[in-house]
Amino acid sequence: MSATGHSIDELVGNFELLGDWESRFAYLIDLGKELTPFDPVDRCDQNRVHGCQAQVWLKIESVDDGRINIVADSDAFIVKGLIVVLLAIYSGKTSEEVLAIDGQAQLDRLQLASHLSPTRKNGLYAMVQRVRELAELEKAI
Amino acid sequence: MSVIDASIREDFPVLTQEVNGHPLVYFDNAATTQKPRTVLEAVQRYYEHDNANVHRGIHELSNRATAAYEAARERVAQFINAPDRADVIFTRGTTESINLVAATWGDANLQTGDVILLTEMEHHSNLVPWQLLAHRTGAELRFIPVTGDEGVLDLANIDTLLEGVKILALTHISNALGTINPVRDLCSTAKAIGALCLVDAAQSAGHLPLDVQAIGCDFLACSGHKLCGPTGIGVLYAQSHLQKVMPPYQGGGEMISKVEFQVSEFNVPPHRFEAGTPNIAGAVGLHAALDYLDGIGLQAIGQHSFELAHYAKERLAEFDGIRFFGPTTEHAGVVSFVLPEVHALDLATMADQQGVAIRIGHHCTQPLHEKFGVPATARASFYCYNTRDEVDFFIEVMQKIIKLIR
Ligand SMILES: Cc1ncc(COP(=O)(O)O)c(C=O)c1O
């Protein structure tokens, strides 16, 4: 479970209940509001994930018992919502677990693809890529 | 009311579709415009009846293809009031046209200490080629500043800015702001000190009547796809006397008159600058596009887009805290804005769910956005087939989105 307390199964279940785009986006936006915004100092180049049309920052907050806790922030609501989904998939896992996850398959479970442009999907995969890089670094330590 | 009737929408097959269950509202015209049936048919007809390579064969089809290609050149010359059809070089688009000038005229004429004068509102296409040239030659880049959010050129220090300038390259209409720059005055000021002038007409060609002789520019660049024509065809207007002394751009077929193993002699302009098989079908489509636009009237098109943009601004002003970028009174059919707390990306994503296509981002004018201190703006840009009803629908969509977010 991630910092926002959601599991991916729970999110997938909730998305399945929502029919039209309005309720799906409203839910995504509400999820995004649960994220704690980064301090200005953390909204820095080092934490910046490039490849998204909005600004995204992502970092490791702590590592407990080999479990990597990830936090992230964005200046766009929908992206924040997607970050909550991403953290549900990846945060609180060991680096081995993170690297073993098929991120795309997990994201596809939400069936959001038809609502997201290819550029947006690139942004999402840029975030996944960053998470995997951080996990690689942790593993090497 | 506008002089353009909404019935012209029927000329554009793409506009009849639904997107995400809603009628398509296409407000991304500054990026590219839709194509009328006459253009699609002209391209189709060319391939069905006349397709052959140009300037080479002595057979009937090659003759027809060559005639069609050269007729398009003639038509472009007429459209921009060029003195001679040989002043028109076909390119892939505005970007290639500007790169061509920077690489040929630029490399041959600039050296350390020379100044290239641009403006702060240039599209990356009219910035990066000059950066590359400056890097190659040691020339210096200088910029005419843009005032605050109203986004007009600050010409207070133009005389100082012009010192040492060899070429002034500026956009006629800003794609990010809708500003219409006083290109005629600026060209004459620059010419007075012996500088050349290039006008980036990507956003003005097809939006207002263009007259290169009245503007007084040496070069003018535009893209077919932004004026109802196909992608992959564009124009560089270059005065004949300059073309004569410009070295070739790319090497290959068409651009030579005699080739030996070690050296070649080059064809006369404009063919010297059109290496390889050109986009013949594109030129044919462009010809049809110019006919189509002239049939409606460029004055009317410009007025129509302006009125829609003006109306959109009026309606958008209903949203608390909205910040507009670009001039308030005289401008082209472009509206750029940011809303407090609503990221342009959220706006565009949810607008798309309702069939509304707008652009977000820095619109290829990253330094300008840096200056404004905003990473991304939302932009709605209009053309002859857009309507007030569509603007009203867009406003409804925005209201819905803001309710969802707040
Ligand atoms: C002002 C301006 N200049 C240049 C360009 C580049 O045109 P193209 O991509 O067709 O070469 C654009 C297109 O967005 C533009 O708006």
Side-chain angles (χ1 to χ4, degrees), chain A residues 21-23 25-26 29-30 33 52-55 74-79 114-116 120, chain B residues 20 22 341-343 345-347 349-354 360 375-376 400-401 404-406:
Chain A
W21 74 270
E22 277 167 80
S23 34
F25 276 100
I29 289 164
D30 281 345
K33 288 180 179 166
C52 310
Q53 284 193 321
Q55 299 184 86
S74 171
D75 57 349
F77 283 111
I78 294 173
V79 179
S114 66
H115 298 305
L116 300 178
R120 164 96 55 165
Chain B
N20 293 321
H22 295 270
E341 293 175 48
V342 184
H343 197 284
L345 182 59
D346 292 330
L347 204 65
T349 305
M350 291 189 271
D352 177 54
Q353 292 304 310
Q354 293 159 92
I360 59 141
K400 204 175 197 178
I401 293 169
L404 269 178
I405 288 181
R406 294 212 170 127

Side-chain angles (χ1 to χ4, degrees), chain A residues 6 10-15 18 21-34 81 85 110, chain B residues 404:
Chain A
H6 298 284
E10 171 207 341
L11 295 180
V12 168
N14 288 343
F15 268 103
L18 301 168
W21 74 270
E22 277 167 80
S23 34
R24 284 166 162 254
F25 276 100
Y27 181 54
L28 206 52
I29 289 164
D30 281 345
L31 281 177
K33 288 180 179 166
E34 295 176 13
V85 173
L110 293 169
Chain B
L404 269 178

Side-chain angles (χ1 to χ4, degrees), chain B residues 30-31 93-96 123 125 171 173 175 200 202-203 223 225-226:
Chain B
T94 307
T95 304
E96 189 177 46
H123 188 280
S125 293
T171 194
I173 291 179
N175 65 305
D200 173 351
Q203 295 294 336
S223 301
H225 71 95
K226 290 190 198 273

Side-chain angles (χ1 to χ4, degrees), chain B residues 38 40-51 284:
Chain B
T38 51
L40 306 176
E41 285 169 356
V43 172
Q44 173 102 6
R45 198 179 322 115
Y46 166 75
Y47 278 125
E48 281 180 357
H49 298 283
D50 305 327
N51 177 52
V284 167

